[in-house]
């Protein structure tokens, strides 16, 4: 994102099932810390909702950027029990969900005809507002025209098991 003080970079961690943005960060450089912090926020978001939650069995997919292929990021994934998956260079098809999310972000939040972004903090505020709206109010056709938070709540409700009267 171009600002009056130079470019800033935005990273998102998106749950493919629910389309929910679980983690995000804005930084003045596109270094490994940017994606590690977004991943940590995503893990914290899930753990805060369910203290027994773990990353075991999850797959983190990304492009082949140096941030995602770094030893430090790989160590974060391993520590969380998450398998890493990296797309092939130049292939946007396996990154379509995130490319779409970034496109929506740029269209709906950044290039919306509003003011020129002054600096990193202005972009951070806009990202925070947009992610909240995206997760709680934006309707997504791929999840029955529901916002991600509502889709997840319905999924949790549908998968809860209630003991049968015979079991008592």
């Amino acid at each position: 994102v171009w600002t009056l003080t130079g470019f800033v970079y935005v990273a998102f961690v998106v749950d493919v099932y629910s389309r929910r943005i679980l983690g995000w960060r804005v930084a003045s450089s596109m270094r490994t810390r940017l994606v590690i912090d977004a991943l940590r926020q995503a893990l914290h978001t899930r753990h805060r909702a369910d203290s027994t939650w773990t990353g075991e069995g999850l797959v983190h997919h990304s492009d082949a950027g140096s941030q995602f292929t770094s030893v430090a990021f790989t160590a974060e994934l391993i520590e969380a029990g998450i398998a890493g998956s990296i797309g092939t260079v130049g292939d946007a098809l396996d990154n379509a969900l995130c490319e779409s999310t970034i496109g929506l972000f740029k269209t709906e939040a950044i290039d919306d005809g509003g003011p020129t972004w002054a600096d990193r903090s202005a972009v951070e505020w806009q990202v925070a507002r947009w992610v909240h709206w995206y997760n709680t109010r934006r309707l997504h056709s791929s999840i029955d025209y529901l916002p991600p938070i509502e889709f997840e709540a319905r999924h949790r409700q549908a998968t809860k098991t209630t003991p049968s009267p015979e079991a008592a």
Side-chain angles (χ1 to χ4, degrees), residues 30-78:
M30 196 169 19
R31 297 218 166 113
T32 302
R33 174 62 42 202
L34 171 70
V35 295
I36 287 175
D37 288 347
L39 176 66
R40 286 181 177 172
Q41 181 184 14
L43 296 171
H44 179 74
T45 298
R46 284 292 187 225
H47 194 262
R48 188 177 62 229
D50 177 0
S51 62
T52 64
W53 181 89
T54 70
E56 295 293 326
L58 293 181
V59 175
H60 178 279
H61 184 76
S62 68
D63 65 19
S66 61
Q67 312 87 322
F68 300 110
T69 59
S70 71
V71 171
F73 187 74
T74 302
E76 290 286 328
L77 292 176
I78 291 169

Side-chain angles (χ1 to χ4, degrees), residues 16-30:
V16 173
Y17 179 71
S18 69
R19 303 303 198 256
R20 181 176 176 187
I21 297 173
L22 295 168
W24 60 271
R25 278 295 181 270
V26 178
S28 55
S29 66
M30 196 169 19

Side-chain angles (χ1 to χ4, degrees), residues 1-8 114-124:
V1 176
W2 185 84
T3 73
L4 295 175
T5 59
F7 279 98
V8 296
T116 300
W117 301 104
D119 54 22
R120 174 181 162 176
S121 65
V123 174
E124 284 177 330

Side-chain angles (χ1 to χ4, degrees), residues 120-140:
R120 174 181 162 176
S121 65
V123 174
E124 284 177 330
W125 275 109
Q126 182 67 352
V127 173
R129 283 189 293 267
W130 182 78
V131 168
H132 176 75
W133 172 80
Y134 180 94
N135 284 338
T136 62
R137 303 201 46 213
R138 190 181 196 288
L139 305 180
H140 298 262

Side-chain angles (χ1 to χ4, degrees), residues 161-167:
T161 55
T162 52
S164 65
E166 297 86 25

Side-chain angles (χ1 to χ4, degrees), residues 17-18 146 148-160:
Y17 179 71
S18 69
L146 296 170
I149 297 281
E150 186 177 338
F151 181 79
E152 286 184 356
R154 287 186 182 190
H155 175 74
R156 274 192 305 279
Q157 186 65 32
T159 58
K160 279 186 181 178

